[in-house]
Amino acid sequence: NFPSRPRLPQGVIRGCEVCSTCQKVIAGWRQEEACRPNLQEAPVFHPSEEEFEDTLKYIASIRPRAEAYGICRIIPPPSWKPPCPLKENNMWVNSKFSTRIQRVDKLQNRDAVRKLLKINNHKKRKRRRCMKTGVDHGINTTDILDYSETGGTYGFGFEPGPEFTLDAFQKYADDFKAQYFRKDSNAADSGGNMTVFPKQWQPSVENIEGEYWRMVEKPTEEIEVLYGADLETGIFGSGFPKLSHQVSSVSEEKYVKSGWNLNNFPRLQGSVLSYESSDISGVLVPWLYIGMCFSSFCWHVEDHHLYSLNYMHWGAPKIWYGVPGKDALKLEAAMRKHLPDLFEEQPDLLHKLVTQLSPSIIISEDIPVYRCTQSPGEFVLTFPRAYHSGFNCGFNCAEAVNVAPVDWLPHGQNAIELYREQGRKTSISHDKLLLGAAREAVKAHWELNLLRKNTSGNLRWKDVCGRDGILSKALKERVEMERVRREFLCNSSQALKMETSFDATCERECSVCLFDLHLSAAGCHHCSPDRYACLNHAKQLCSCAWGAKFFLFRYDINELCILVEALEGKLSAIYRWARSDLGLALSSYVSKENLRIPGLIGKLPYSPGGTALKDRSSLPAIASTEEKLGKENVAKTSNSTGIIGSTYLSVKEEFPGVVKALEDKKAVTRLDNALHQAEVSNDSTEFEKKESLNLAATQGTPVHKLSRENRPETCNLAAVKLEVKKPSVVGNGDVILLSDDEGEELKMPPSESAKDTSRKYLGDLPTQESAGNM
């Protein structure tokens, strides 16, 4: 009643009474039974020296051709040969790393643990009956011992193996390969022809690939290999030089700062991971992979569906298999279809990275799979949500890390919504990255449109902004999602201002689904102040009355709408966000072309946390043109950065350019103040600050009421009608003033009807009315 797979004979015996790093390989290559899959090759790219200079720009350039494959190979120019600190004698001989034991024969063909336990219990009962008649059938517990118990449930996993140095592991790996593919042995090919192999014969990559999938699909022996996987470079060391003393010459110092150095790669300009301050191992800090023949990395996607880049430092080839991101759901369905027992036992099996499925089976389900063979000195790039797997052909060392160009943002949003459904912990704060990119883009818009600072750093944001820009769309979708959830949950008396340091020193995640709480959170005045929920699970946070709940918002919806409009290119929104969030004001700038007075060039202090400068008295004092020109004595001015201006003469005839620029600056100052007054006049619609602060203090909750600095729901600037003349001569540094859209009301036009949008984002969220009855 309990059919199971027959026990296989041992193909590898590792360790003895003396040591744990010796081995005897009994199994051998079966050439005639090779199962090499028939696959198309992934594309290979050869960047020129010039193209290779800008890492993310090059990746963006090949994306249209490569993303459809899910994976591609990048071969650097011949001159790119970075030194590898791991090859230094001290590291090679003395530094140890841990390994994992992998049973290749069980990566695809294995029984669910529950079935094995039932079989084992049945055998025990049968053995007791047979012992009475003198018959002993024996008990096979080997399969069960290969499983680890975690969290009260059994699941297949890789057991820890012995530690090695690089020198010792190379000898172990080479010895295994030599024994498995024995020299001086004869074998018959698929046609029955005998082949005699010379003493120095080495198997080809095709030979090894065919034998690997034979073992996975149709195993005949238990094959045990070791893999030094997920080794933290922050502890063991990186294969790329991180410091100048790790290179032997001045000409090699370029590798320390290179964008292709994986220690620099995640936080390159243009990667939104640069807005994550923590050094997250494996995501922002590279991992090392030290492999041997048949050691495997099983089917998986990167955390948060990020891009990944893998570089091979040395050794035997690594064979990869990739499935395009658009076919991710089809692959998951195929794996559930062919391995139903395993998925029934472990629904999150694909998150464990312990299961293979032959590419031959996958393509039979009409799912494309592409092969990629990586050699030393080459990169392999995987795209968002592209499933990939593979194995090593012998002793080698590779290093990998993630990156997130702006085009990743929609994939990342999809990932965190999936994680919310699965109750899976996040590695990074998606909202922190999205807001960080948006704030940086608005700052660039400010400098481009209002100051004409056409730097490369500013210009790179132009392609991702505007109404059709991928950053604008990603933020707009997220804001709409947030707006609907807030509207159905809380009223003004429950809304509080989230402190900027809310998640600065510790992770804040939903106690129900583990969703990241960077943008908003729900709490309870009667429960622990450190326990929160996302807006979707505010009801499940606790059993306290709904009136005891409060909601923390980093920005109110009106502020976020301004941010969206700023990304879409509305100049008045750019101005307002820059002033309120970034601490920038037009009155802090004058034309650099017409006015060469350093003391009048400056800006408001910038807070890295994004807090607006609240004390407007720190603005540079701008005297009127008449006051300045009415004095013939020398004068000095200062600005908010503490720069003391140069002395100047106030003779209108001698310095007409100065007079003109000062007049322009005075007009800009009036506009700045008028806009500020228009916004303040609408603050009466905000929540009562005093009551909330008293409530928070009474309950001991470290939160603040949404302050009067926050934007009202609509801010009509139609009353502000100021005509500001541009300088007569326009130069690079000239101030470009707001367009005539400044009188429009701020609105966030929904992309769908309110009813459809609610269904899309709310699910079973309670409304304010129903919440009050909880």
Side-chain angles (χ1 to χ4, degrees):
N1 296 326
F2 299 101
S4 65
R5 304 173 197 277
R7 182 182 179 184
L8 302 175
Q10 273 190 291
V12 180
I13 300 174
R14 179 179 52 81
C16 63
E17 295 179 356
V18 180
C19 70
S20 62
T21 58
C22 64
Q23 64 186 324
K24 181 179 181 180
V25 183
I26 302 168
W29 178 34
R30 301 193 179 200
Q31 182 185 13
E32 68 281 2
E33 299 177 20
C35 294
R36 184 170 186 258
N38 182 20
L39 304 174
Q40 293 185 45
E41 299 294 323
V44 183
F45 296 92
H46 297 80
S48 65
E49 296 276 359
E50 182 180 355
E51 291 173 325
F52 201 68
E53 286 296 316
D54 191 324
T55 309
L56 292 186
K57 183 179 179 181
Y58 181 72
I59 289 174
S61 72
I62 65 174
R63 177 185 159 221
R65 289 173 287 167
E67 190 170 20
Y69 296 85
I71 190 171
C72 71
R73 186 158 52 111
I74 300 173
I75 301 178
S79 63
W80 202 78
K81 295 179 179 178
C84 183
L86 298 178
K87 291 184 177 180
E88 294 178 3
N89 188 63
N90 184 51
M91 283 288 297
W92 191 266
V93 176
N94 297 320
S95 295
K96 288 190 173 183
F97 60 91
S98 58
T99 61
R100 299 172 183 173
I101 301 170
Q102 294 184 329
R103 283 281 299 276
V104 181
D105 57 289
K106 288 193 172 184
L107 295 179
Q108 178 176 307
N109 287 283
R110 64 177 185 267
D111 288 316
V113 179
R114 283 199 297 262
K115 181 186 286 189
L116 291 173
L117 292 174
K118 290 179 181 179
I119 293 168
N120 189 52
N121 291 333
H122 176 70
K123 285 184 177 180
K124 285 181 179 180
R125 291 194 299 271
K126 185 175 181 180
R127 184 185 184 196
R128 284 196 295 271
R129 291 195 301 270
C130 294
M131 286 293 284
K132 295 177 182 179
T133 61
V135 179
D136 185 0
H137 288 262
I139 305 172
N140 177 13
T141 59
T142 305
D143 290 339
I144 297 174
L145 294 177
D146 288 334
Y147 293 82
S148 59
E149 186 176 8
T150 56
T153 60
Y154 285 90
F156 180 76
F158 300 143
E159 297 177 6
E163 289 189 337
F164 286 87
T165 62
L166 288 167
D167 182 60
F169 193 72
Q170 180 181 25
K171 293 173 182 176
Y172 183 90
D174 290 347
D175 178 58
F176 171 87
K177 189 174 180 179
Q179 289 191 61
Y180 195 92
F181 295 93
R182 292 178 183 86
K183 301 172 183 178
D184 293 326
S185 62
N186 299 337
D189 59 23
S190 57
N193 301 314
M194 296 300 295
T195 304
V196 179
F197 302 106
K199 286 187 177 182
Q200 299 303 317
W201 174 84
Q202 289 288 331
S204 67
V205 170
E206 291 76 15
N207 295 147
I208 298 171
E209 184 181 20
E211 178 64 11
Y212 175 80
W213 287 111
R214 180 197 71 79
M215 287 189 298
V216 172
E217 293 186 63
K218 306 170 184 177
T220 51
E221 299 93 5
E222 295 178 353
I223 304 298
E224 179 183 286
V225 297
L226 304 176
Y227 198 9
D230 301 343
L231 303 178
E232 297 188 34
T233 56
I235 298 174
F236 184 77
S238 171
F240 288 99
K242 298 168 69 174
L243 303 170
S244 296
H245 69 78
Q246 292 179 303
V247 297
S248 58
S249 64
V250 175
S251 62
E252 289 185 339
E253 287 190 2
K254 65 180 181 180
Y255 297 112
V256 176
K257 297 181 179 179
S258 170
W260 296 94
N261 181 328
L262 297 191
N263 297 290
N264 306 325
F265 184 63
R267 289 193 169 100
L268 289 176
Q269 190 177 61
S271 169
V272 299
L273 287 179
S274 60
Y275 305 108
E276 174 54 64
S277 56
S278 302
D279 287 332
I280 303 168
S281 184
V283 177
L284 285 142
V285 179
W287 274 349
L288 276 177
Y289 298 87
I290 302 171
M292 63 177 287
C293 190
F294 302 143
S295 59
S296 310
F297 51 105
C298 300
W299 286 110
H300 69 286
V301 293
E302 296 298 309
D303 283 354
H304 291 261
H305 302 168
L306 291 160
Y307 284 77
S308 76
L309 190 66
N310 183 294
Y311 179 77
M312 182 178 287
H313 292 292
W314 73 74
K318 186 189 294 281
I319 299 183
W320 296 69
Y321 304 96
V323 172
K326 65 181 177 62
D327 296 301
L329 292 176
K330 293 171 67 176
L331 174 65
E332 292 169 5
M335 294 194 72
R336 289 189 176 91
K337 174 183 174 181
H338 290 275
L339 305 170
D341 290 346
L342 302 184
F343 278 90
E344 182 183 357
E345 182 173 71
Q346 287 182 277
D348 61 346
L349 185 62
L350 284 171
H351 300 161
K352 306 300 181 183
L353 283 74
V354 294
T355 306
Q356 290 285 46
L357 186 65
S358 169
S360 299
I361 296 175
I362 297 173
I363 60 177
S364 73
E365 296 289 342
D366 197 27
I367 302 169
V369 182
Y370 300 97
R371 180 194 292 112
C372 181
T373 304
Q374 180 187 22
S375 298
E378 297 177 354
F379 290 95
V380 167
L381 176 71
T382 69
F383 289 87
R385 211 181 183 183
Y387 271 95
H388 50 281
S389 70
F391 68 95
N392 300 295
C393 293
F395 175 65
N396 61 19
C397 177
E399 190 167 343
V401 79
N402 296 117
V403 74
V406 176
D407 63 77
W408 160 83
L409 285 169
H411 301 283
Q413 183 65 50
N414 183 51
I416 60 170
E417 292 302 321
L418 285 175
Y419 288 5
R420 186 206 295 270
E421 294 173 9
Q422 298 163 354
R424 183 181 175 187
K425 190 177 180 66
T426 59
S427 303
I428 54 178
S429 170
H430 181 85
D431 286 336
K432 182 194 292 186
L433 305 186
L434 177 61
L435 289 172
R439 294 174 69 245
E440 184 72 18
V442 173
K443 184 181 179 184
H445 274 324
W446 162 269
E447 294 184 349
L448 281 169
N449 295 320
L450 304 178
L451 303 180
R452 291 288 180 87
K453 291 180 66 174
N454 297 325
T455 64
S456 59
N458 288 338
L459 291 171
R460 66 186 172 85
W461 292 104
K462 293 186 70 174
D463 292 338
V464 298
C465 295
R467 290 191 179 276
D468 296 323
I470 196 163
L471 177 57
S472 306
K473 287 183 175 180
L475 182 66
K476 189 171 185 177
E477 172 78 6
R478 180 68 183 95
V479 171
E480 179 63 8
M481 185 186 304
E482 187 75 5
R483 183 193 66 78
V484 173
R485 287 171 178 166
R486 291 186 189 184
E487 184 177 284
F488 275 76
L489 274 178
C490 67
N491 53 48
S492 60
S493 64
Q494 294 173 297
L496 306 172
K497 180 71 174 178
M498 179 186 286
E499 292 199 3
T500 56
S501 59
F502 177 68
D503 58 350
T505 57
C506 63
E507 292 182 354
R508 299 289 190 179
E509 58 190 18
C510 175
S511 58
V512 179
C513 69
L514 306 182
F515 189 80
D516 175 71
L517 303 178
H518 180 76
L519 186 58
S520 57
C524 178
H525 291 301
H526 297 165
C527 296
S528 170
D530 292 325
R531 190 167 179 266
Y532 299 95
C534 67
L535 300 188
N536 276 21
H537 294 109
K539 175 183 175 182
Q540 292 94 324
L541 175 64
C542 62
S543 59
C544 299
W546 185 254
K549 300 288 194 303
F550 63 86
F551 298 91
L552 303 178
F553 300 142
R554 187 170 295 274
Y555 296 103
D556 68 30
I557 289 298
N558 310 289
E559 290 175 303
L560 293 173
C561 291
I562 293 173
L563 181 55
V564 169
E565 289 193 335
L567 290 183
E568 291 179 340
K570 187 174 180 180
L571 288 180
S572 58
I574 294 171
Y575 170 83
R576 292 167 66 190
W577 182 268
R579 185 182 62 78
S580 66
D581 187 75
L582 303 178
L584 302 171
L586 281 175
S587 57
S588 301
Y589 293 85
V590 294
S591 169
K592 295 180 183 178
E593 179 71 24
N594 292 329
L595 180 60
R596 306 179 186 276
I597 303 179
L600 293 179
I601 308 290
K603 65 179 180 180
L604 294 176
Y606 170 66
S607 168
T611 306
L613 184 66
K614 296 181 180 179
D615 185 7
R616 294 180 61 85
S617 64
S618 62
L619 284 168
I622 307 298
S624 68
T625 306
E626 292 78 13
E627 290 173 334
K628 288 187 179 293
L629 296 178
K631 301 179 181 179
E632 293 189 2
N633 299 325
V634 296
K636 295 184 178 181
T637 60
S638 63
N639 62 12
S640 62
T641 59
I643 303 174
I644 304 300
S646 305
T647 59
Y648 63 93
L649 297 176
S650 55
V651 182
K652 184 179 295 188
E653 291 77 8
E654 290 188 44
F655 301 99
V658 172
V659 175
K660 177 62 177 172
L662 286 171
E663 289 173 348
D664 293 331
K665 186 170 180 63
K666 178 180 176 183
V668 170
T669 305
R670 290 200 304 271
L671 175 60
D672 183 33
N673 291 335
L675 284 168
H676 176 69
Q677 292 300 323
E679 292 176 6
V680 170
S681 66
N682 283 311
D683 279 346
S684 59
T685 62
E686 295 291 342
F687 312 135
E688 289 295 326
K689 179 178 180 182
K690 184 176 180 180
E691 284 185 16
S692 174
L693 288 175
N694 290 338
L695 177 60
T698 303
Q699 302 298 337
T701 307
V703 293
H704 297 292
K705 189 65 180 178
L706 284 169
S707 69
R708 296 175 63 83
E709 296 289 325
N710 296 315
R711 303 283 71 78
E713 184 166 341
T714 58
C715 185
N716 192 341
L717 300 181
V720 182
K721 295 183 178 179
L722 293 175
E723 291 188 5
V724 183
K725 297 180 180 179
K726 296 182 182 179
S728 56
V729 180
V730 179
N732 274 346
D734 290 326
V735 176
I736 306 301
L737 299 177
L738 301 183
S739 64
D740 56 5
D741 66 355
E742 63 198 39
E744 299 173 6
E745 286 191 353
L746 173 65
K747 294 180 181 179
M748 184 70 173
S751 55
E752 309 168 75
S753 68
K755 190 173 182 180
D756 292 340
T757 305
S758 300
R759 274 200 300 267
K760 179 177 179 181
Y761 295 130
L762 288 176
D764 57 355
L765 278 178
T767 62
Q768 292 183 36
E769 291 77 6
S770 63
N773 299 322
M774 295 175 191

